[in-house]
Amino acid sequence: MFTTLNANYKERKNFKEKMHLTPTRKLISTEHTYNNLPFYTTRLISYSHLNSAKLLRFKERCSIPVIENNSNMVTKYRYLMTLNTVMNHYKDTPLNCALIDPNGRLLFLLPLLVTRCHRVNVYTHSRDYQKENDRLFSLIGASAVIAEDFLSLKGFDAVFSDIPLPFCDNPHLFGRYSHFAHSLPLLPDEFKQLNLLDDEIYPTLAGLYYIGGIKNLGHLHCSTLQKTTTLAQV
């Protein structure tokens, strides 16, 4: 079980609101069920732009995981949707892909890349990649090429990165600082019946996938990927 958390600013319009006879901030939680798994969406309705303390207090006191759009879990899920979208675009064409991940935050993508791609090169300083690479080789007989530094990325069909690469010489660059899953994925009909607001969808999907263990939600993809205009928070 988990809850999403979003906030809405509301202007004071009627008499009670203008006279401050209504609470400045109000939290509203709604229970939902998907695939027999209960979860909540929580929204802060506020007449003030200063809501950080209220949101922090809610997260500290909440007895279940709280998922926001800038949560690490949501960023991971967006990377998964980004990878799925790229792979769906190329269909059955075997790709040569590079993964730029100095700190090892995208390690969860390695099994997917190794099983789906013709060749995978990983550039990282994290030792965890070698352990996972050895595990994959023992399981499926395939592995990635792992190194610490790179000179050119021209020779790859797609590059996935966890860091900004403003001078990348490959136009097919994906990640939170480049083309990324900002638009909503193509959703199953039963998920649409939840009638969630757009800003609740990615936190809900991430919670259902990572906490609820509903793994079929890891196969979704977007119709398009958008260029990031502001740096994502992680």
Side-chain angles (χ1 to χ4, degrees):
M1 188 178 292
F2 62 89
T3 184
T4 65
L5 180 61
N6 298 87
N8 280 113
Y9 171 75
K10 184 178 180 181
E11 293 184 359
R12 297 183 183 274
K13 295 182 178 180
N14 60 41
F15 176 78
K16 284 187 176 182
E17 293 169 346
K18 290 180 178 180
M19 295 300 293
H20 293 253
L21 299 176
T22 55
T24 301
R25 301 173 185 85
K26 180 170 63 174
L27 283 161
I28 301 174
S29 292
T30 305
E31 185 175 6
H32 308 270
T33 301
Y34 182 80
N35 200 27
N36 297 318
L37 180 74
F39 68 94
Y40 293 87
T41 54
T42 300
R43 188 168 295 272
L44 175 66
I45 307 299
S46 175
Y47 296 104
S48 170
H49 290 291
L50 304 176
N51 299 303
S52 297
K54 181 74 171 181
L55 294 170
L56 179 59
R57 189 157 55 250
F58 173 81
K59 289 185 284 186
E60 289 176 342
R61 295 178 178 178
C62 189
S63 60
I64 58 177
V66 178
I67 308 175
E68 300 174 276
N69 269 293
N70 62 353
S71 297
N72 288 337
M73 190 183 301
V74 175
T75 301
K76 286 178 61 176
Y77 190 80
R78 289 181 187 272
Y79 264 103
L80 180 57
M81 293 301 99
T82 301
L83 175 60
N84 289 350
T85 304
V86 172
M87 294 301 173
N88 183 72
H89 175 76
Y90 285 100
K91 299 296 184 184
D92 297 324
T93 303
L95 302 181
N96 295 325
C97 291
L99 182 60
I100 316 299
D101 185 24
N103 299 312
R105 289 189 288 197
L106 302 183
L107 180 62
F108 64 96
L109 291 181
L110 185 61
L112 299 172
L113 288 167
V114 168
T115 54
R116 297 183 187 184
C117 297
H118 174 67
R119 177 167 65 95
V120 180
N121 282 45
V122 179
Y123 302 100
T124 184
H125 302 296
S126 171
R127 296 181 180 179
D128 292 335
Y129 268 99
Q130 190 58 58
K131 295 178 183 177
E132 179 66 0
N133 208 34
D134 293 341
R135 186 186 72 87
L136 291 171
F137 184 78
S138 66
L139 286 176
I140 61 176
S143 61
V145 176
I146 299 179
E148 291 193 358
D149 302 305
F150 62 91
L151 295 176
S152 172
L153 299 169
K154 277 185 179 179
F156 297 98
D157 301 303
V159 178
F160 298 89
S161 180
D162 185 53
I163 61 173
L165 294 175
F167 305 110
C168 180
D169 55 5
N170 190 318
H172 305 295
L173 178 62
F174 304 96
R176 60 195 176 106
Y177 299 106
S178 186
H179 290 88
F180 203 40
H182 295 292
S183 64
L184 299 179
L186 303 177
L187 299 168
D189 290 339
E190 58 272 23
F191 188 93
K192 294 178 183 177
Q193 293 174 6
L194 295 173
N195 292 319
L196 303 177
L197 297 178
D198 283 357
D199 61 355
E200 297 169 334
I201 290 179
Y202 265 111
T204 297
L205 288 169
L208 292 172
Y209 179 72
Y210 289 110
I211 297 176
I214 304 179
K215 295 307 180 184
N216 63 313
L217 295 179
H219 301 302
L220 306 182
H221 66 275
C222 305
S223 57
T224 59
L225 298 173
Q226 284 77 43
K227 179 78 171 182
T228 299
T229 54
T230 57
L231 300 187
Q233 298 180 19
V234 172

